[in-house]
Amino acid sequence: MAGTPSVAADRVLLSIDGREVTAKPGTTILQAAQAAGIRIPHLCHEPRLKPSGACRLCLVEIQGQPGFHASCARPVERGMVVSTSSEPVRSLRKTVLEMLVSEHVMSCSTCDRDGECLLQDYAYEHGIDEKRFPSIAPAAAASGVPNYTSESLAISYDPSKCIRCQRCVRICEEVQGVEALTLTSRGGDVLVSTGFQRPLQETACEMCGQCIGTCPTAALHEKAARGKGKPKDLARVRTTCPYCGVGCQIELNVNRRVNRIVRVTGRIGSTPNNGLLCVKGRFGMDFVARADRLTTPLLRENGSFRKASWGEALEYTATRLREIRGESGADALAGLASAKTTNEDNYVMQKLVRAAFGTNNVDHCARLCHASTVAGLAMAFGSGAMTNSIADLRDAPVIFVIGSNTTECHPVIGTTIRQSVASGRTRLIVADPRRISLAGIAELHLRHRPGTDVALLNGMMHVILQEGLEDRQFIDTRTEGFEELRAAVEKCPPESAAAITGVPADDIRRAARLYASAESAAIVYSMGITQHTTGTDNVLSLANLAMVTGNVGRPCSGVDPLRGQNNVQGACDMGALPNVYSGYQRVDDRGVRGKFEAAWNVPLPDTPGLTVVEMMNAAEAGRIRAIYIMGENPVLSDPDIAHVRKALEAVDFLVVQDVFMSETAELADVVLPAFSFAEKDGTFTNTERRVQRVRRAVRPPGDARDDWRILCEVSTRMGYPMSYPDSAAIMEEISALTSIYGGIAHDRLDGTGIQWPCPTPTHPGTPILHRESFTRGRGRFHAVQFLPPRELPDEEYPLLLTTGRVLQHWHTGTMTRRCEVLNALVPGGTLELNPADAQALAVSSGETAVVRSRRGRIEIPVAVTERVDRGTVFLAFHFREHPANALTISALDPVAKIPEFKACAVRVEKREASRP
Ligand code: SF4
């Protein structure tokens, strides 16, 4: 090592196999070797796990230190001389492998992982003798030891392939934070098990399949994928998960011969999920190949559907739209874009509505989830999006989760938060009316009444100002309107907030101190904040809290709205909103409009259009006569569905473009079959503003077509020609007209994607917004006062209903309820009822209740649970047989026009006792 060049003070210089290598202190020998391209075989270790040194395969020699050392667990030292493949090392490694093989049935020719198995690879490389040691491998039937994991719905465990490396046990505990697995028994009978006399689905297991993802052999595998194709038979297509806004990178393993997705894998090192998936991402893709996919255009004739050719369906659609526009004007037409389809589809949809229909009546389901985020954060910061990145949550000293059941609605972000808390780096505050999973690991759970967020936040800010915990310098140099905020929060001492929220005043004080005293604190929120008639006020309050403590524009701080659908951020970015073009450029700004008119070569309407709920009202009143819906299901997803159904039945012409015959499609005049995400090329934008690729993995069924191509055909037949050679060309047009996407192009997105704003082709993207100044210049405080939900419990309807999601299902269930594992795990909904309320109503778990509101009634089984507080009931909105939105109220937030899904008054009765 003498005479070597100088090494940076924060690096260690060592020698591995005769090569000089530098590494950061704390790096293991294995990591240093890998970084230098030197391969050391290992089985029990992977980068997401703490080193265990259990398999003894990664042993190395260190000069001057007797014996062999596990390189996965041994940190580098200055001047260390390491040998990874000396003769003694190779000989010992071979013996270790031969012992492992004696515990394993090497039936490679019939194994699902043949060609993708580390044990097989190492055995081959080392030329091991399979018979050197007598076999002690347990039989697949587990040599008499109960094998509870094998009874899992989704995960199959073959003990004869298990090498007891414990990666599955450790990933479940260390990464997923669940501890559903353990090792049982002794000696040759050691097995992976739940440790209980119960199958996995009856334990804390979330069926994420992280255990499968880390298994180095075929011991753990997707049950449904057994025998469906070896790795050599499967093409791996990297794409983006079609469910939630986390935007996990997934690999669809496709058997091209039969055009089927066989399994889904994650890739370690991928952004944002580092190979982790949730149960939907791993087991929720059966819907793509379902036999009931729409495969041909359908036209309604004499009350029922008949098949039609594309030519007939498109011509009829364009003709009817033209006729209605001719009779009643352009504003009698409307379009709903989709948070499930790609950016390119959404851009073309809003262009169709604006340029071909001639109206700004375009909206989508963002109105129903985060319209108040877009409005509120734009008012406070100038940009209505997540300020920081998901990765920041790994190191945030404090995370304040409010109105977000993160582990169920954004599971991989929930896992990230769990890991941060478990590591000791993060202190967690949870504010939620329900005892959600994260509340169990939080330092403080503020169980406030639904709809009292502003009072809670004003109470916290009152404490912060009273105790001098505010960031004066940030307030003075970066913000405006502080005195108005001070005046507003002065009126809300913690005792007043406690009376409104039900949270003890001391807990409000503790939360305020914890949040404000942290070096950095991140706010994570979701629809518990936004889906209120005070949704915009709630968002403004969170912006106030972040600004008053200087928690914006820095790493591990910020205000992070978790967007619901996979591409709801992108659909907003693309201008699928009634008041803005792509990039939030206002339609009523003459200069902006002129730019789009010149680019699209058509005069454009100058007044903002109608939002979703306004469209339904206008449809019922006869002012909207035709609606074109792409990939949305408002009959289940919108509030007060009896009203929505009436509105859609009232229009003269309804077009639905979708992958299945949804509840909304059943009402349509024309149904057009579209590609699913697995058949598309394009992009989604995840919740942290990361634009990521969607790639075609399978061939589409029947005559289904790409959404944007269908829209282009309709536009052209309406007299406004639109065509693109491919989706990359659409992105070229988007980037030319949209500064925040100015540097986005498909061929730049192959790595980790790019976070907007990305104004130029060489810009790397923006992980943190508002660093030097806010998008609007100075951050704006808003004086916000508490207002109660529009409909509160009374004598007739004495309980408060709040709605949300469950882990295993998604939105209106169109996709997840067609997936075998997901449907088996949660076949239907339940009404969560507090034990005290259940006792008063004389109803028990499993019995059926009738739930009524002023708008409708449903029947649903009851789950008695402490998760909800007394006086509050909870329903998930995925299930058509007991639709939550038959009950919800369509009262709107006055600014964002988002409905109040999270609070309305209901009455619950046991079914036998109910009135008809
Ligand atoms: Fe898909 Fe969201 Fe699950 Fe990730 S966390 S796998 S994006 S549903």
Side-chain angles (χ1 to χ4, degrees):
M1 308 282 287
T4 53
S6 63
V7 176
D10 64 343
R11 308 285 290 183
V12 169
L13 178 67
L14 68 156
S15 160
I16 304 179
D17 290 347
R19 282 175 54 189
E20 285 175 357
V21 170
T22 67
K24 277 192 180 158
T27 305
T28 64
I29 295 172
L30 179 64
Q31 288 168 328
Q34 285 174 326
I38 298 167
R39 187 161 168 268
I40 303 178
H42 56 281
L43 281 166
C44 72
H45 183 69
E46 63 120 301
R48 298 171 298 184
L49 299 175
K50 292 179 196 150
S52 78
C55 74
R56 313 309 287 166
L57 207 58
C58 70
L59 295 177
V60 295
E61 284 185 303
I62 301 172
Q63 197 177 73
Q65 299 186 22
F68 299 91
H69 307 269
S71 62
C72 71
R74 185 69 194 270
V76 295
E77 288 168 24
R78 200 172 302 278
M80 214 175 216
V81 178
V82 177
S83 174
T84 73
S85 53
S86 62
E87 185 44 42
V89 167
R90 283 189 63 82
S91 168
L92 177 61
R93 197 171 282 149
K94 188 174 175 191
T95 302
V96 170
L97 277 168
E98 284 165 341
M99 288 167 74
L100 282 171
V101 163
S102 74
E103 299 176 29
H104 180 96
V105 176
M106 296 292 280
S107 52
C108 299
S109 61
T110 55
C111 180
D112 291 290
R113 297 273 183 94
D114 177 23
E116 189 192 270
C117 169
L118 283 177
L119 184 65
Q120 184 190 52
D121 290 349
Y122 295 149
Y124 177 78
E125 282 169 26
H126 289 77
I128 59 118
D129 175 359
E130 286 183 30
K131 303 218 167 4
R132 177 159 169 213
F133 297 105
S135 172
I136 56 164
S143 55
V145 179
N147 174 11
Y148 302 111
T149 48
S150 72
E151 293 167 30
S152 150
L153 287 169
I155 299 170
S156 100
Y157 174 56
D158 180 350
S160 73
K161 307 275 187 191
C162 179
I163 56 169
R164 290 99 178 146
C165 64
Q166 300 190 46
R167 274 163 66 154
C168 53
V169 176
R170 288 183 289 136
I171 203 161
C172 188
E173 179 187 336
E174 293 173 18
V175 177
Q176 193 63 17
V178 168
E179 302 181 34
L181 295 176
T182 185
L183 291 188
T184 51
S185 206
R186 304 166 71 91
D189 288 333
V190 169
L191 288 176
V192 175
S193 164
T194 61
F196 301 101
Q197 305 287 315
R198 286 182 286 159
L200 266 177
Q201 58 267 25
E202 292 177 20
T203 70
C205 174
E206 294 172 347
M207 220 58 82
C208 60
Q210 254 59 281
C211 51
I212 297 174
T214 195
C215 181
T217 69
L220 287 157
H221 202 67
E222 295 84 354
K223 197 170 241 177
R226 291 265 191 221
K228 299 273 170 53
K230 290 185 172 190
K232 71 174 174 49
D233 305 319
L234 305 178
R236 282 194 181 203
V237 181
R238 182 178 155 195
T239 188
T240 303
C241 177
Y243 287 109
C244 84
V246 180
C248 291
Q249 292 302 285
I250 59 176
E251 294 170 329
L252 299 178
N253 292 231
V254 176
N255 187 330
R256 290 254 156 89
R257 197 173 45 79
V258 292
N259 196 37
R260 282 291 170 107
I261 299 168
V262 170
R263 60 192 295 244
V264 181
T265 46
R267 182 179 293 179
I268 297 173
S270 63
T271 302
N273 52 312
N274 197 17
L276 304 178
L277 301 176
C278 79
V279 63
K280 294 187 289 292
R282 197 173 304 268
F283 297 110
M285 302 300 157
D286 322 9
F287 75 91
V288 172
R290 283 281 301 220
D292 59 345
R293 281 281 304 274
L294 291 169
T295 55
T296 186
L298 302 170
L299 297 187
R300 184 175 295 280
E301 207 169 74
N302 302 323
S304 52
F305 287 116
R306 69 162 173 85
K307 290 182 181 175
S309 69
W310 271 107
E312 186 189 9
L314 291 168
E315 195 54 40
Y316 179 62
T317 300
T319 303
R320 285 296 290 133
L321 291 169
R322 268 199 326 261
E323 283 170 0
I324 292 171
R325 185 179 58 188
E327 290 160 11
S328 305
D331 286 340
L333 308 183
L336 287 183
S338 173
K340 294 231 75 63
T341 60
T342 62
N343 286 322
E344 292 75 4
D345 295 329
N346 279 287
Y347 177 81
V348 172
M349 181 69 184
Q350 58 90 36
K351 185 173 173 183
L352 167 78
V353 172
R354 294 188 158 114
F357 290 10
T359 176
N360 281 315
N361 289 339
V362 59
D363 205 4
H364 72 289
C365 71
R367 182 72 43 203
L368 308 176
C369 58
H370 273 283
S372 34
T373 291
V374 174
L377 292 188
M379 288 161 70
F381 300 160
S383 175
M386 190 161 155
T387 61
N388 286 53
S389 302
I390 295 167
D392 275 16
L393 298 174
R394 294 195 192 116
D395 295 312
V398 165
I399 300 176
F400 180 24
V401 176
I402 179 165
S404 160
N405 185 4
T406 323
T407 53
E408 298 211 46
C409 302
H410 298 88
V412 168
I413 294 182
T415 299
T416 304
I417 295 174
R418 275 189 195 143
Q419 286 174 30
S420 313
V421 174
S423 72
R425 291 189 298 274
T426 296
R427 299 171 76 183
L428 179 65
I429 309 167
V430 169
D432 201 289
R434 294 169 75 216
R435 194 167 292 158
I436 56 172
S437 158
L438 282 184
I441 57 166
E443 195 162 322
L444 262 176
H445 177 202
L446 313 174
R447 201 173 189 180
H448 61 310
R449 297 186 182 110
T452 62
D453 306 87
V454 167
L456 181 70
L457 297 167
N458 277 352
M460 286 174 67
M461 283 185 273
H462 183 103
V463 176
I464 288 167
L465 295 181
Q466 195 181 43
E467 299 187 5
L469 300 174
E470 73 272 27
D471 185 335
R472 272 306 338 171
Q473 197 193 354
F474 188 91
I475 293 167
D476 292 343
T477 58
R478 302 276 318 263
T479 68
E480 61 192 22
F482 174 67
E483 289 310 320
E484 294 154 44
L485 173 78
R486 182 198 288 281
V489 302
E490 260 172 16
K491 295 179 197 150
C492 191
E495 282 69 23
S496 307
I500 296 168
T501 60
V503 177
D506 274 351
D507 282 357
I508 295 174
R509 286 195 179 86
R510 284 175 62 201
R513 289 170 192 148
L514 184 50
Y515 175 83
S517 307
E519 190 187 328
S520 295
I523 295 171
V524 170
Y525 76 89
S526 193
M527 292 185 290
I529 280 290
T530 57
Q531 289 181 330
H532 290 281
T533 46
T534 55
T536 305
D537 285 353
N538 292 346
V539 172
L540 290 172
S541 270
L542 289 173
N544 287 340
L545 179 65
M547 287 192 292
V548 88
T549 50
N551 272 307
V552 188
R554 291 189 285 119
C556 304
S557 69
V559 180
D560 296 332
L562 303 185
R563 308 300 300 261
Q565 301 262 24
N566 55 320
N567 197 34
V568 68
Q569 180 68 55
C572 292
D573 298 345
M574 293 302 107
L577 297 168
N579 58 337
V580 289
Y581 303 111
S582 54
Y584 307 95
Q585 303 174 79
R586 296 191 61 90
V587 297
D588 52 8
D589 179 313
R590 188 178 300 186
V592 167
R593 198 169 57 254
K595 179 173 86 171
F596 280 86
E597 285 176 335
W600 294 352
N601 196 25
V602 66
L604 294 169
D606 58 1
T607 49
L610 300 179
T611 63
V612 171
V613 179
E614 290 171 335
M615 274 180 207
M616 296 305 158
N617 293 340
E620 205 183 350
R623 295 195 307 280
I624 294 275
R625 291 185 53 209
I627 303 183
Y628 194 128
I629 299 176
M630 171 177 76
E632 293 223 336
N633 190 12
V635 164
L636 276 193
S637 64
D638 289 17
D640 191 358
I641 55 179
H643 166 63
V644 173
R645 183 174 280 274
K646 227 163 124 188
L648 293 178
E649 283 170 351
V651 295
D652 293 317
F653 190 56
L654 178 64
V655 186
V656 174
Q657 182 171 307
D658 213 324
V659 296
F660 290 108
M661 180 59 78
S662 67
E663 290 76 6
T664 304
E666 283 166 9
L667 304 178
D669 297 287
V670 178
V671 178
L672 303 173
F675 286 3
S676 77
F677 89 106
E679 292 130 19
K680 280 175 185 287
D681 271 310
T683 56
F684 293 155
T685 303
N686 82 347
T687 187
E688 57 177 350
R689 300 170 278 106
R690 189 179 300 279
V691 188
Q692 307 188 106
R693 279 301 312 275
V694 175
R695 295 180 183 84
R696 185 177 196 176
V698 289
R699 296 186 300 279
D703 284 338
R705 289 189 181 177
D706 221 337
D707 282 288
W708 63 265
R709 287 190 193 276
I710 303 171
L711 301 173
C712 284
E713 286 273 0
V714 171
S715 183
T716 302
R717 287 165 195 256
M718 284 188 75
Y720 180 74
M722 242 203 296
S723 71
Y724 300 91
D726 52 29
S727 63
I730 303 173
M731 184 53 80
E732 278 172 31
E733 182 173 316
I734 296 166
S735 59
L737 289 168
T738 316
S739 65
I740 57 174
Y741 276 66
I744 306 279
H746 280 197
D747 59 10
R748 288 194 70 199
L749 301 176
D750 282 340
T752 58
I754 297 176
Q755 286 172 282
W756 65 254
C758 174
T760 66
T762 53
H763 193 284
T766 310
I768 301 176
L769 297 179
H770 319 302
R771 267 189 179 273
E772 307 301 329
S773 66
F774 285 92
T775 309
R776 68 179 295 282
R778 280 184 171 246
R780 172 86 205 166
F781 285 110
H782 290 81
V784 182
Q785 297 289 2
F786 167 70
L787 290 171
R790 189 66 54 85
E791 188 180 67
L792 288 170
D794 55 20
E795 226 168 79
E796 196 181 355
Y797 296 95
L799 297 168
L800 195 64
L801 168 69
T802 188
T803 64
R805 295 187 166 117
V806 297
L807 169 66
Q808 297 81 0
H809 285 290
W810 191 250
H811 221 55
T812 62
T814 313
M815 291 150 61
T816 53
R817 297 202 77 196
R818 287 178 166 88
C819 295
E820 208 177 316
V821 168
L822 304 179
N823 227 15
L825 286 170
V826 179
T830 53
L831 177 80
E832 289 187 1
L833 197 62
N834 182 273
D837 291 324
Q839 195 179 14
L841 295 164
V843 61
S844 317
S845 284
E847 291 184 321
T848 301
V850 178
V851 190
R852 298 170 202 273
S853 76
R854 289 184 174 82
R855 292 151 295 278
R857 78 187 279 284
I858 61 167
E859 296 189 5
I860 185 167
V862 164
V864 178
T865 170
E866 297 276 3
R867 267 163 75 92
V868 286
D869 212 350
R870 191 166 188 182
T872 301
V873 295
F874 170 83
L875 267 178
F877 63 89
H878 314 293
F879 306 99
R880 66 183 292 174
E881 57 275 34
H882 23 246
N885 288 326
L887 308 168
T888 50
I889 186 169
S890 59
L892 299 182
D893 173 287
V895 179
K897 309 284 172 69
I898 189 169
E900 189 147 59
F901 286 106
K902 292 293 179 191
C904 74
V906 294
R907 183 170 75 242
V908 177
E909 295 159 332
K910 196 165 160 175
R911 185 167 55 181
E912 291 79 0
S914 76
R915 287 168 280 173

